[in-house]
Structures are given as structure tokens and as C-alpha cells.
Amino acid sequence: MFARRTVARVVAQPSLLAAPSNARNMATLREIELRLKSVRNIEKITKSMKMIASTKLAKAQRAMQAGKLYGEANAEVFETAKEGATGSKKLFLVISSDKGLCGGIHSSVTKATRRAFNNAPDSPLPGVSVEPDSPVMVIGDKSKAQISRVYPNNLRLTFNQIGRDVPTFADAASVADLVVKSGVEYDSVVIIYNSFVSAISYEAAAMEVKGEKALKESEGFKKYEMEDDFTKDLAEFSLANALYSALTEAHSCEISARRNAMDNASKNAGDMIGSLTMQYNRGRQAAITNELVDIITGASAL
Amino acid sequence: MSAATWRSTFTFNKYSQITAAAVRKSLKETQRLAAEKRGLTALRYQVWENGKGGEQITLDPTQESDPKKKTAAV
């Protein structure tokens, strides 16, 4: 995003003394000055991005705490509706976002999806084998680009414009609505998202939401008598709940990762400014010394 | 009335969003403004077939924000 200026190095006047063969070409003072100016601007920008992310983090974390309760309530339903016949057609729903400059958030989720597909030992779904033609849906343009390169034929639906602000339940419900209406067949939905470990670390995790069939066939459900069949509604609503919980948590992770990435970038920019300033001052003093030497030798000749 | 007829037209999530919007519109002014924010979604989606994406469809065009209003905030 920030284009690095490639400064053309101009070779300094060849000195009469033999220059060491690996001597760094002396950039002129003008070029160092320009580079210094641009690095200073970049430092300002990354600092302000870090500030913005810090202020957003508090709000995002509060939303995440609230959203997690929805996810826990969901998990309770599936706890009591334990095992039945498990159909194994899984629909993967990968959660990332549209914006960059947030460290490894998007690739973390994409890599977890790849590990799941390869049935690797550190897959987010341990011990579960995944069909290679499992459908995949992606929220967020960044992961969409990555996944469309690796599993283009598994993609069914992609979403964007989520994650600009704290995700709302309306977002989650709309996504769930579209997933159900899309006609893609599945027995359960596996949501892959980044879970918030701490303000400086996150890790990819998977949340499984059983579909209507699995709920109906499970032991706990058979104990209830229902006149109208609401299982489909419950399955859809629990998908929206799980999505909301995962969306808010992923949003929090993204903001904290962006804060950390911009913090590191500012530190690096600060270091670069320090070393460039040293170089500039040395160059300036060398130029002054050369001029003095010229004047003095000239004066001594008179 | 026994079974509701909305089930044939839309999913439960859509039904709950419609009813939620109705509740939000009925609130008093201050509470309504706070609640309206919770119902916003600028979602867009794309249907993919054979590794190729279709065109982007905006779910609710009325909520699209003004494209001229750009901020530097990420």
C-alpha cells in the first residue's frame, strides 16, 4: 500500500585513493533528505492508524464480550442435542475482512482452512476428515482473494462490506439468510474465524453449527413433542447466533492485530528516521569538511 | 390462525429482522436513534460458479453510504 521509494544511488566523485571494492555508494544529501521526509510522513500515518485502532479496540472488545454470550447460548443447545447420525457434508464459512494492514489475520484464517482440507494434524477440526469438494463461503475480500487461488471450485458465495464498524446482528442474520437461501446442501456449517487470545495474540479456530437434519435426529430433540415443526427455524437462528459471535470476535482480533502491526511499523519507521538522520548529519559534516579543506589548501597556496 | 404463512416466502432470520425493524421504528426518538444503528448492514454478496465470481449484489441499496464521503480512518 505504501510504495517504497527506490532512491537511485548516485556514485560519489571517485576519490584518488583506492576505494574499497564493496564501498556503499554515497547517496547524495538531497536524496537522504527526501527519503527522511517520506519516512517521517509514513511514521505519522502509522502512528495515527495505531491511535485509531486503539480507540476502536475498546468498543470492539465490549461488543465481543456481548456477542460471545450468543455463541455460548448456541453451544448449550447443541450440547443437549448431542450425537445423532452425523452426516458429514460440511459447509465452511471463512470470516475475515476487506481491509489490510492488520498483520497476519487473513492468512491465518486461510491457512486454517487449508489445514482442515488437507486433514493436517493441526487442523482446526481435529480428527475430522473433510471432503475435498466441501463448499466454501467467504466473508471478506482479503481471504476471498487468497481462497479463490487455492480452492476456486469450492467457492459458492462471498460477502463483503462487513467489518468496517462493529458487526451487527443484522449482518449475521443477513449472511445466515443468504446461506440458507443459496441452496447449497450441508449437514453442518463450520465457521472458521480468529479467536481472541489476548490483546497481542489471536489464533484461528473453528465453530461447528449443526444443520436441521442433525438436530432432528439427535437424542435430546426426540424427547420433545412439537406440533409445528420449528427445527428449521432453530437451525437457521442458531447459525445467525454463531455467526454473530464469530464476527464480533474476529473484528476484535483484526483491530488488535492492526494496532500491533501499526505499532511495529511506527517503531521501525522511528528506527529508520534515526539511522537516516545520522547518515544525513555525517554527510553534511563531510561536505562542510571538504569545503573547508578546499578553502584551506587554496589559501595556503596564496 | 395456526401455521403462519410467512414460512413459504422467507427464512426465519429474515422474519426476525423484519419484526426487529418494526420494533425499532416504534421506539421513542432517543432510543430509536440508538437502536437504528443496530439494524444497519451494508452487506454485498457474490455468487460463485466454477471458480468464477458473479457480479456483486447489494443486499439493501437504501443503506449504502454516500460514495463521496471517504475517510482515512481504517
Side-chain angles (χ1 to χ4, degrees), chain A residues 56 156 158 171 177 233, chain B residues 7 11 41 44 46 48 74:
Chain A
K56 279 189 172 178
R156 295 285 177 270
T158 57
D171 288 326
D177 183 39
D233 294 343
Chain B
R7 266 169 236 269
T11 64
T41 167
R44 292 197 312 187
Q46 230 183 337
W48 284 64
V74 174

Side-chain angles (χ1 to χ4, degrees), chain A residues 49 52 56 99-100 141 144 148 152-153 155-162 164 168-171 173-178 180-181 228-230 232-233 236-237 240 258, chain B residues 2-4 6-7 9-17 24 37-53 56-57 59 64-65 72-74:
Chain A
M49 285 180 74
I52 292 173
K56 279 189 172 178
K99 298 223 162 80
D141 287 332
K144 169 178 90 177
S148 69
N153 294 319
L155 272 177
R156 295 285 177 270
L157 212 52
T158 57
F159 308 88
N160 52 19
Q161 309 299 323
I162 290 188
R164 282 230 190 113
T168 59
F169 193 80
D171 288 326
S174 310
V175 173
D177 183 39
L178 284 164
V180 169
K181 279 199 317 211
D228 285 328
D229 185 16
F230 298 120
K232 186 161 187 292
D233 294 343
E236 293 167 6
F237 188 60
R258 183 166 294 126
Chain B
S2 51
W6 57 263
R7 266 169 236 269
T9 327
F10 37 69
T11 64
F12 179 77
N13 283 317
K14 187 95 187 113
Y15 165 72
S16 79
Q17 289 305 298
R24 277 185 220 117
K37 293 204 196 96
R38 280 179 249 137
L40 293 176
T41 167
L43 189 62
R44 292 197 312 187
Y45 67 98
Q46 230 183 337
V47 183
W48 284 64
E49 251 175 79
N50 295 327
K52 292 249 182 306
Q56 297 259 1
I57 308 169
L59 198 54
E64 196 129 290
S65 55
V74 174

Side-chain angles (χ1 to χ4, degrees), chain A residues 56-57 59-72 95-97 105 108-109 162-163 165-168 172 191-199 201-207 240-258:
Chain A
K56 279 189 172 178
L57 185 57
K59 187 173 173 209
Q61 271 191 281
R62 281 198 307 269
M64 175 180 77
Q65 300 301 339
K68 266 188 161 165
L69 297 174
Y70 283 78
E72 279 161 25
I95 298 192
S96 76
S97 85
I105 288 279
S108 143
V109 183
I162 290 188
D165 201 353
V166 178
T168 59
I191 303 178
I192 302 202
Y193 65 106
N194 284 306
S195 81
F196 194 86
V197 173
S198 80
S201 83
Y202 56 87
E203 62 175 2
M207 205 195 283
N241 270 341
L243 259 173
Y244 181 63
S245 157
L247 275 171
T248 48
E249 196 162 358
H251 180 71
S252 240
C253 287
E254 183 198 332
I255 293 198
S256 84
R258 183 166 294 126

Side-chain angles (χ1 to χ4, degrees), chain B residues 17-37:
Chain B
Q17 289 305 298
I18 294 174
T19 49
V23 171
R24 277 185 220 117
K25 285 202 193 99
S26 67
L27 292 172
K28 276 195 192 160
E29 197 57 35
T30 41
Q31 280 90 336
R32 186 174 63 82
L33 291 170
E36 287 294 339
K37 293 204 196 96

Side-chain angles (χ1 to χ4, degrees), chain A residues 15-61:
Chain A
S15 63
L16 292 175
L17 310 165
S21 48
N22 288 337
R24 265 185 60 231
N25 291 329
M26 262 279 292
T28 61
L29 279 184
R30 177 70 54 206
E31 281 149 11
I32 300 183
E33 206 179 337
L34 288 174
R35 188 130 189 248
L36 204 47
K37 205 166 75 160
S38 86
V39 178
R40 278 211 194 99
N41 283 340
I42 289 180
E43 200 216 2
K44 283 201 194 99
I45 293 172
T46 53
K47 260 205 181 133
S48 72
M49 285 180 74
K50 175 190 160 196
M51 282 294 118
I52 292 173
S54 306
T55 51
K56 279 189 172 178
L57 185 57
K59 187 173 173 209
Q61 271 191 281

Side-chain angles (χ1 to χ4, degrees), chain A:
Chain A
M1 226 188 223
F2 294 97
R4 249 204 320 193
R5 284 240 214 116
T6 46
V7 176
R9 305 268 180 190
V10 173
V11 180
Q13 284 182 356
S15 63
L16 292 175
L17 310 165
S21 48
N22 288 337
R24 265 185 60 231
N25 291 329
M26 262 279 292
T28 61
L29 279 184
R30 177 70 54 206
E31 281 149 11
I32 300 183
E33 206 179 337
L34 288 174
R35 188 130 189 248
L36 204 47
K37 205 166 75 160
S38 86
V39 178
R40 278 211 194 99
N41 283 340
I42 289 180
E43 200 216 2
K44 283 201 194 99
I45 293 172
T46 53
K47 260 205 181 133
S48 72
M49 285 180 74
K50 175 190 160 196
M51 282 294 118
I52 292 173
S54 306
T55 51
K56 279 189 172 178
L57 185 57
K59 187 173 173 209
Q61 271 191 281
R62 281 198 307 269
M64 175 180 77
Q65 300 301 339
K68 266 188 161 165
L69 297 174
Y70 283 78
E72 279 161 25
N74 229 21
E76 286 260 358
V77 172
F78 292 122
E79 271 307 301
T80 48
K82 254 312 177 172
E83 278 323 293
T86 36
S88 68
K89 193 118 178 83
K90 297 192 191 323
L91 166 64
F92 283 86
L93 194 44
V94 180
I95 298 192
S96 76
S97 85
D98 303 338
K99 298 223 162 80
L101 296 181
C102 47
I105 288 279
H106 310 297
S107 43
S108 143
V109 183
T110 315
K111 281 192 194 141
T113 313
R114 292 180 76 170
R115 288 200 303 265
F117 268 74
N118 295 334
N119 299 314
D122 53 352
S123 140
L125 284 176
V128 177
S129 72
V130 172
E131 310 281 312
D133 64 345
S134 304
V136 173
M137 295 187 182
V138 187
I139 299 181
D141 287 332
K142 295 283 172 183
S143 267
K144 169 178 90 177
Q146 291 170 351
I147 291 195
S148 69
R149 260 180 271 134
V150 197
Y151 300 120
N153 294 319
N154 299 52
L155 272 177
R156 295 285 177 270
L157 212 52
T158 57
F159 308 88
N160 52 19
Q161 309 299 323
I162 290 188
R164 282 230 190 113
D165 201 353
V166 178
T168 59
F169 193 80
D171 288 326
S174 310
V175 173
D177 183 39
L178 284 164
V179 169
V180 169
K181 279 199 317 211
S182 71
V184 175
E185 307 229 328
Y186 58 88
D187 293 312
S188 67
V189 179
V190 178
I191 303 178
I192 302 202
Y193 65 106
N194 284 306
S195 81
F196 194 86
V197 173
S198 80
I200 47 171
S201 83
Y202 56 87
E203 62 175 2
M207 205 195 283
E208 187 161 5
V209 181
K210 297 210 172 53
E212 184 195 350
K213 235 189 298 162
L215 275 178
K216 267 205 189 126
E217 292 167 6
S218 63
E219 278 311 308
F221 260 58
K222 287 189 187 144
K223 295 196 184 128
Y224 292 98
E225 271 195 24
M226 291 186 281
E227 328 151 324
D228 285 328
D229 185 16
F230 298 120
T231 324
K232 186 161 187 292
D233 294 343
L234 179 61
E236 293 167 6
F237 188 60
S238 66
L239 177 60
N241 270 341
L243 259 173
Y244 181 63
S245 157
L247 275 171
T248 48
E249 196 162 358
H251 180 71
S252 240
C253 287
E254 183 198 332
I255 293 198
S256 84
R258 183 166 294 126
R259 202 203 77 87
N260 294 333
M262 292 296 104
D263 189 24
N264 287 336
S266 307
K267 278 204 199 97
N268 290 340
D271 291 343
M272 277 180 84
I273 289 177
S275 74
L276 276 174
T277 313
M278 281 293 190
Q279 211 184 333
Y280 180 71
N281 285 333
R282 257 185 272 131
R284 196 174 48 84
Q285 288 161 356
I288 293 173
T289 309
N290 283 335
E291 276 184 45
L292 277 174
V293 164
D294 288 340
I295 293 172
I296 292 171
T297 46
S300 71
L302 293 171

